[in-house]
């Protein structure tokens, strides 16, 4: 492996990503954006304006001013998703709120949000992460992030709940997401009538999970031999008892996960009283616990796809984790709304480019190994370009300080 070629190859791949998108940018801004993505990809540790200035060759003020530029990140990342996934891939859109640590009092949107890692409410920021997941490839391409306002702003200025905000967010991105797929996957928090009904009206088919104590009813099966009676015909049967399934209604199927583990599950079309509609559910047993109840609003969807989509949804969690660890999702040196939006989406786009380069050119490397090689390539290129082919002691003395800064 030629370490010196990694940096050049990354820049080439990054240029090709923007050449394949229809997003219009000036040549000057595009060159700066490619430089910034490359800088984010090679910086080890915390990523902010100060580190970008040191390793990116531009001043911190230049980075800060350009971070206020509006970029159609969704279109760029959807283009990468189409390039990553094949035409026959089974694709769904996944959404997931994520907590972002942030100190201070003047940052836009700062408030108290739920942190899944800490399992409690913490002070900081929240973003809604959007990703495209592939059922066959078992991977996720991050499409973008939208920052959530805090509860006080929503209640006082917009008269909205947080769930209403999530609905409006999906509605604002619906046309772009529907151009990719009409299947939307989210965790159990979103399995409410208010959210599910709205996204169905937008044109999505929703896949989610229900609690094991959800009130589900069998559909009434008409008996042709029963005598005719006055009044409306019965629409629903008895409540579904998960510990004693009616196997005349439920059918069994074998679900095989990505690791080859096979599980005997059950599926049926039932009525959900909470969602006020018929849904297809897939019951997967859990050792010494209540069964997992996955569902889809599309009753014709295969149960294997329902379980597969929901379990593949967890890949968006890995995307958020990698962005926090490697591309500076949680270390932004700004308090401004526009700059925060630029920084969050830049982090996801830089991660997508890194994974795209790894997929095409270095399939044996992890993201951490790739970042280390990127920095080593940058360090070696800087040394060679400064020393030249015939190093001189005076030149060496002049760049000692520069090398010390890079190696810090």
């Amino acid at each position: 492996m030629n370490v010196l070629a990694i940096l050049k190859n990354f820049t080439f791949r990054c240029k090709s990503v923007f050449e394949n998108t229809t997003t219009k940018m000036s040549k000057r801004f595009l060159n700066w954006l490619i430089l910034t993505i490359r800088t984010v990809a090679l910086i080890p540790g915390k990523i902010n304006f100060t580190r970008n200035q040191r390793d990116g060759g531009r001043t911190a003020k230049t980075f800060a001013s350009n971070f206020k530029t509006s970029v159609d990140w969704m279109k760029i990342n959807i283009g990468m998703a189409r390039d990553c996934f094949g035409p026959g891939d089974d694709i769904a859109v996944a959404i997931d709120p994520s907590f972002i640590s942030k100190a201070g009092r003047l940052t836009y949107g700062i408030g108290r949000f739920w942190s899944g890692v800490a399992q409690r409410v913490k002070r900081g920021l929240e973003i809604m992460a959007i990703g495209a997941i592939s059922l066959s490839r078992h991977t996720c391409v991050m499409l973008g992030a939208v920052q959530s306002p805090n509860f006080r702003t929503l209640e006082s200025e917009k008269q909205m709940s947080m769930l209403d905000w999530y609905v409006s967010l999906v509605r604002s991105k619906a046309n772009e997401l529907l151009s990719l797929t009409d299947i939307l996957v989210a965790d159990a928090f979103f399995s409410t009538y208010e959210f599910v009904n709205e996204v169905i009206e937008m044109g999505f088919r929703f896949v989610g999970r229900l609690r094991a104590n959800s009130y589900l009813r069998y559909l009434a099966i008409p008996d042709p031999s029963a005598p005719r009676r006055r009044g409306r015909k019965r629409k629903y049967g008895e409540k579904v008892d998960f510990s004693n399934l009616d196997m005349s209604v439920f059918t069994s199927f074998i679900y095989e996960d990505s690791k080859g583990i096979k599980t005997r599950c059950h599926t049926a079309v039932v009525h959900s009283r909470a969602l006020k509609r018929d849904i297809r559910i897939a019951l997967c047993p859990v050792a010494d616990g209540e069964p997992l109840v996955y569902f889809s609003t599309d009753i014709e969807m295969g149960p294997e796809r329902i379980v597969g989509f929901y379990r593949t949804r967890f890949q968006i969690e890995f995307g958020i984790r990698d962005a926090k660890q490697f591309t500076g999702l949680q270390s932004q040196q700004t308090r401004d709304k526009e700059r925060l939006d630029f920084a969050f989406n830049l982090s996801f786009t830089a991660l997508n480019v890194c994974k795209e380069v790894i997929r095409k050119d270095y399939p044996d490397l992890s993201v951490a190994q790739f970042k280390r090689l990127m920095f080593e390539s940058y360090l070696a290129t800087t040394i060679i370009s400064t020393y030249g082919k015939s190093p001189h002691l005076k030149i060496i003395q002049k760049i000692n300080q520069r090398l010390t800064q890079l190696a810090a």
Side-chain angles (χ1 to χ4, degrees):
M1 181 185 297
N2 186 357
V3 176
L4 295 177
I6 291 179
L7 196 64
K8 184 177 180 180
N9 188 31
F10 181 88
T11 306
F12 172 78
R13 291 290 186 192
C14 195
K15 287 181 179 179
S16 65
V17 166
F18 289 99
E19 288 174 357
N20 294 333
T21 183
T22 57
T23 303
K24 295 182 180 179
M25 302 180 193
S26 66
K27 187 174 181 180
R28 181 178 180 181
F29 179 77
L30 179 58
N31 291 334
W32 172 86
L33 183 59
I34 293 172
L35 171 67
T36 305
I37 292 175
R38 192 193 73 169
T39 305
V40 168
L42 64 87
I43 291 177
K46 193 173 183 179
I47 300 171
N48 50 36
F49 293 147
T50 305
R51 289 300 302 269
N52 284 336
Q53 173 180 303
R54 195 176 78 172
D55 298 327
R58 301 290 188 275
T59 64
K61 186 176 181 180
T62 300
F63 284 104
S65 61
N66 282 329
F67 266 47
K68 290 183 73 71
T69 306
S70 177
V71 177
D72 193 347
W73 299 102
M74 185 73 69
K75 185 177 291 186
I76 294 170
N77 291 315
I78 285 178
M80 276 195 277
R82 286 198 174 100
D83 186 54
C84 178
F85 304 146
D89 285 359
D90 215 351
I91 305 172
V93 171
I95 59 173
D96 189 57
S98 179
F99 177 79
I100 304 294
S101 297
K102 188 71 172 179
R105 294 177 296 174
L106 302 178
T107 303
Y108 170 80
I110 196 162
R112 299 183 64 81
F113 299 97
W114 174 260
S115 171
V117 176
Q119 287 295 300
R120 64 184 178 90
V121 175
K122 294 178 63 178
R123 183 173 174 81
L125 306 176
E126 184 189 78
I127 61 170
M128 171 64 83
I130 307 172
I133 58 173
S134 170
L135 191 59
S136 56
R137 298 176 187 267
H138 205 69
T139 187
C140 176
V141 174
M142 305 305 294
L143 299 181
V146 180
Q147 186 180 353
S148 303
N150 57 42
F151 290 101
R152 291 183 180 180
T153 302
L154 285 174
E155 292 178 357
S156 62
E157 297 181 8
K158 302 182 184 234
Q159 289 76 47
M160 299 171 67
S161 66
M162 188 58 74
L163 192 63
D164 294 334
W165 164 257
Y166 294 148
V167 170
S168 66
L169 190 154
V170 175
R171 185 181 291 112
S172 67
K173 306 291 183 183
N175 291 335
E176 295 170 292
L177 298 178
L178 286 169
S179 68
L180 188 63
T181 178
D182 65 344
I183 301 175
L184 181 67
V185 189
D187 61 20
F189 172 81
F190 295 93
S191 299
T192 63
Y193 173 76
E194 293 78 8
F195 186 85
V196 173
N197 187 59
E198 289 290 340
V199 298
I200 288 176
E201 289 183 358
M202 296 175 202
F204 290 102
R205 293 178 288 166
F206 186 78
V207 175
R209 188 165 73 87
L210 297 172
R211 295 176 61 179
N213 61 353
S214 298
Y215 196 101
L216 304 176
R217 293 177 286 185
Y218 293 105
L219 302 182
I221 302 176
D223 185 2
S225 62
R228 296 186 61 183
R229 296 180 179 179
R230 297 179 62 184
R232 191 185 69 173
K233 294 182 180 180
R234 190 178 183 185
K235 294 178 64 177
Y236 310 113
E238 300 297 326
K239 179 183 177 182
V240 178
D241 182 2
F242 296 123
S243 62
N244 185 22
L245 298 177
D246 184 355
M247 296 310 296
S248 64
V249 178
F250 279 86
T251 57
S252 301
F253 68 97
I254 303 298
Y255 176 75
E256 184 176 356
D257 62 16
S258 58
K259 297 181 180 178
I261 300 175
K262 297 181 179 180
T263 307
R264 186 178 182 83
C265 306
H266 308 285
T267 183
V269 176
V270 297
H271 181 82
S272 170
R273 190 168 68 176
L275 300 179
K276 301 179 184 179
R277 64 177 62 249
D278 296 343
I279 58 174
R280 176 169 290 281
I281 62 172
L283 295 177
C284 294
V286 177
D288 302 326
E290 296 178 330
L292 299 175
V293 186
Y294 307 108
F295 79 95
S296 172
T297 56
D298 179 9
I299 62 175
E300 301 298 330
M301 184 179 291
E304 298 87 354
R305 294 180 69 206
I306 297 174
V307 180
F309 275 131
Y310 191 86
R311 294 190 176 181
T312 308
R313 182 201 67 84
F314 202 78
Q315 292 295 319
I316 195 175
E317 304 274 1
F318 295 143
I320 296 170
R321 178 203 63 186
D322 290 343
K324 288 181 177 180
Q325 290 182 350
F326 303 121
T327 55
L329 181 63
Q330 200 162 238
S331 59
Q332 303 304 330
Q333 192 182 12
T334 183
R335 297 175 298 186
D336 183 75
K337 178 182 178 181
E338 288 77 15
R339 291 191 180 101
L340 282 170
D341 180 77
F342 191 100
F344 294 142
N345 285 281
L346 174 69
S347 177
F348 281 149
T349 303
L351 178 67
N352 289 339
V353 176
C354 287
K355 289 186 175 181
E356 182 74 1
V357 175
I358 292 172
R359 181 178 68 89
K360 290 185 176 180
D361 301 319
Y362 311 101
D364 297 330
L365 297 181
S366 65
V367 179
Q369 292 171 328
F370 179 75
K371 273 186 68 77
R372 186 171 66 249
L373 287 176
M374 281 282 289
F375 181 73
E376 291 174 356
S377 177
Y378 173 65
L379 188 63
T381 303
T382 303
I383 293 172
I384 293 172
S385 63
T386 308
Y387 281 156
K389 295 182 179 180
S390 302
H392 194 276
L393 289 178
K394 291 184 178 180
I395 300 178
I396 295 174
Q397 291 173 358
K398 288 181 180 180
I399 66 169
N400 275 341
Q401 184 178 2
R402 172 65 172 160
L403 292 178
T404 303
Q405 290 175 348
L406 289 176

